[in-house]
């Protein structure tokens, strides 16, 4: 990473010299523009830093989608416990991170690459733009994509326009990658696939499948067309863990580990405890660490893991910090060197749902479902997958907060679906099995779990205990769940006409209870 930053510094140094100075004072030790271009450094140096910004920081991830998907929860009493996690929007930084650190440099590198005829680098940057904006839109809905970088105030795309653009751009990108699988220019800048263009094509195709399933309820015809295109494309899909798309950390610490171990601001969620302990899921040992105080798990001492309810009533931080941390291995950069963005388990689960929806080429729903679970067990080094898949009795457990008296923070489990596949069950029961297992497997990539929950209603999550929503950002009715993040104040102040147009395209007020386009609230079938 230091090499890439150093090269960027050199680029800046070279470009800052005046023509007259260069004519009169040639530095024999200075790296020239020609030298930088020899190994594609003048374009390639941008990519590691762009990819590193995909997940965001504590605010972008831990206090937003990781909480809303209910994988992690926090013991900390932020702002008198009235904050994002209790549905009062206090922090909203993902927009700026994606535009300042991905969209802006991507535009720069595309301009450079196109001027120099480096089409592969330009399309690689375009693929990173799709990654970024396909995630940002799950927060906000309409975003600035097709007209980003044009003069004047930013013009937002409606969600139908946005997804059509994603699919069109993926057509072009996959075609370019497929035609140039022997291209080696990306190698020095690609920690994910080592410059293997065929692997990037496979990832791009898998991303198409993800986006197609995301819109399957609101536009089933387009979803089927795009999904079947991905299933039939000869470039293939990510279906083994060796093909997973991982964002490398370049020696940096996995960010939630810093939040967990250095700041003590995150812990296992109560929902994770309920589902993983109830299902006796061996992956729990790779996800979280057991508690040292067994009085916290008196109702299940053989599975000594304790979580915090999302949106919990909190009095003092120290009350819940003894609860389960994430696994200690996450705190070691030598053991956790990357973070998954799209993995084989997700693709198998999407194919299982696609089979239920009748998409050609999806295969058998049960086979895909079980392959998804197996891929996740393999990824996390868990044993006993065959016995797990045969379990037709275990269910998630009710949750009790041992710190609080009475029913404070407690909930009764609403999931009545077991793990084992039942071919005679309805498609709705089968979908619940698929999405519940997909939710578990998406650990460390919670944004997709939050998408699926809003899209399908699965898994059956408990509502937040403390709902602090009000008219400032929109009211989430008791027992319901946050549906989006509002447009950021910077856009409201600096681009009011754009935000007004975006709100019209949103189809509802710029509030946290307005559904996104693909979140129809209607039946799954």
């Amino acid at each position: 990473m230091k090499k890439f930053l150093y090269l960027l510094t050199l680029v800046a140094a070279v470009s800052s010299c005046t023509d007259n100075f260069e004519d009169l004072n040639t530095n024999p030790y200075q790296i020239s523009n020609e030298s930088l271009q020899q190994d594609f450094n003048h374009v390639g140096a941008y990519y590691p830093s762009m990819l590193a910004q995909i997940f965001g920081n504590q605010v972008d991830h831990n206090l937003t989608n990781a909480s809303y998907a209910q994988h992690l929860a926090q013991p900390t009493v932020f702002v008198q416990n009235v904050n994002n996690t209790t549905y009062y929007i206090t922090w909203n930084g993902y927009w700026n991170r994606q535009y300042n650190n991905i969209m802006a440099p991507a535009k720069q590198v595309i301009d450079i690459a196109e001027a120099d005829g480096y089409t592969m680098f330009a399309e690689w940057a375009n693929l990173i733009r799709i990654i970024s904006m396909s995630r940002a839109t799950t927060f906000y809905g309409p975003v600035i994509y097709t007209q980003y970088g044009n003069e004047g105030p930013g013009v937002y795309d409606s969600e139908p326009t946005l997804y059509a653009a994603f699919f069109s751009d993926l057509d072009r990108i996959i075609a370019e990658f497929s035609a140039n699988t022997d291209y080696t220019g990306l190698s020095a800048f690609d920690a994910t696939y080592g410059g293997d263009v065929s692997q990037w094509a496979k990832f791009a195709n898998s991303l198409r499948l993800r986006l197609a399933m995301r819109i399957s309820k609101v536009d089933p015809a387009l979803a089927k067309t795009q999904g079947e295109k991905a299933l039939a494309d000869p470039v293939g899909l990510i279906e083994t863990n060796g093909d997973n798309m991982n964002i490398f950390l370049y020696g940096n610490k996995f960010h939630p580990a810093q939040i967990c171990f250095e700041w003590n601001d995150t812990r296992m969620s109560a929902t994770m405890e309920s589902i993983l302990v109830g299902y006796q899921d061996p992956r729990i040992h790779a996800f979280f660490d057991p508690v040292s105080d067994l009085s916290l798990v008196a109702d299940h001492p053989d599975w000594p893991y304790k979580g915090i309810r999302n949106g919990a009533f909190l009095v003092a931080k120290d009350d819940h910090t003894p609860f389960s941390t994430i696994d200690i291995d996450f705190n070691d950069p030598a053991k956790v060197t990357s973070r998954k963005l799209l993995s084989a388990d997700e693709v198998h689960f999407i194919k299982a749902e696609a089979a239920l929806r009748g998409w050609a080429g999806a295969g058998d729903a049960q086979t895909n479902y079980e392959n998804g679970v197996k891929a996740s067990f393999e990824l996390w080094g868990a044993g006993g997958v065959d016995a797990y898949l045969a379990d037709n009795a275990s269910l998630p457990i009710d949750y009790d907060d041992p710190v609080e008296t009475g029913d404070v923070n407690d909930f009764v489990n609403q999931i009545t679906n077991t793990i084992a596949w039942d071919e005679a069950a309805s498609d709705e029961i089968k979908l619940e099995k698929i999405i519940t297992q997909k939710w578990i497997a998406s650990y460390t990539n919670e944004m997709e779990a939050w998408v699926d929950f809003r899209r399908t209603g699965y898994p059956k999550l408990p509502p937040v205990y403390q709902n602090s929503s009000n008219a400032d950002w929109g009211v989430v009715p008791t027992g319901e769940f946050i549906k989006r993040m509002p447009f950021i104040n910077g856009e409201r102040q600096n681009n009011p006409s754009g935000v007004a147009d975006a709100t019209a395209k949103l189809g509802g007020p710029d509030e946290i209870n307005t559904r996104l386009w693909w979140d129809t609230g209607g039946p799954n079938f």
Side-chain angles (χ1 to χ4, degrees), residues 480-497:
E480 296 188 15
F481 301 85
I482 189 169
K483 297 177 176 63
R484 64 181 289 272
M485 293 289 281
F487 298 121
I488 64 168
N489 284 334
E491 279 291 292
R492 292 179 177 202
Q493 294 161 5
N494 300 320
N495 186 14
S497 62

Side-chain angles (χ1 to χ4, degrees), residues 338-359:
S338 64
R339 185 170 184 175
K340 67 175 182 176
L341 183 75
L342 206 163
S343 50
D345 49 66
E346 181 183 347
V347 171
H348 289 301
F349 290 128
I350 295 173
K351 289 177 65 178
E353 183 176 350
L356 295 185
R357 297 190 181 280
W359 293 5

Side-chain angles (χ1 to χ4, degrees), residues 1 3-5 7-8 11 36-37 39-51 105 108-110 112-113 116 118 121-122 124-125 128 183 185-191 250:
M1 187 64 173
K3 173 184 175 183
F4 301 126
L5 294 175
L7 289 167
L8 283 174
V11 172
L36 286 171
Q37 291 178 23
D39 296 319
F40 309 108
N41 288 316
H42 68 306
V43 288
Y46 290 80
Y47 289 86
S49 59
M50 286 193 292
L51 286 166
Q108 288 181 276
V109 77
I110 290 167
I112 296 169
D116 290 344
Y118 299 146
F121 276 94
W124 192 20
I128 294 171
Y183 185 77
L186 311 183
S187 301
F189 316 101
D190 175 19
Y250 298 99

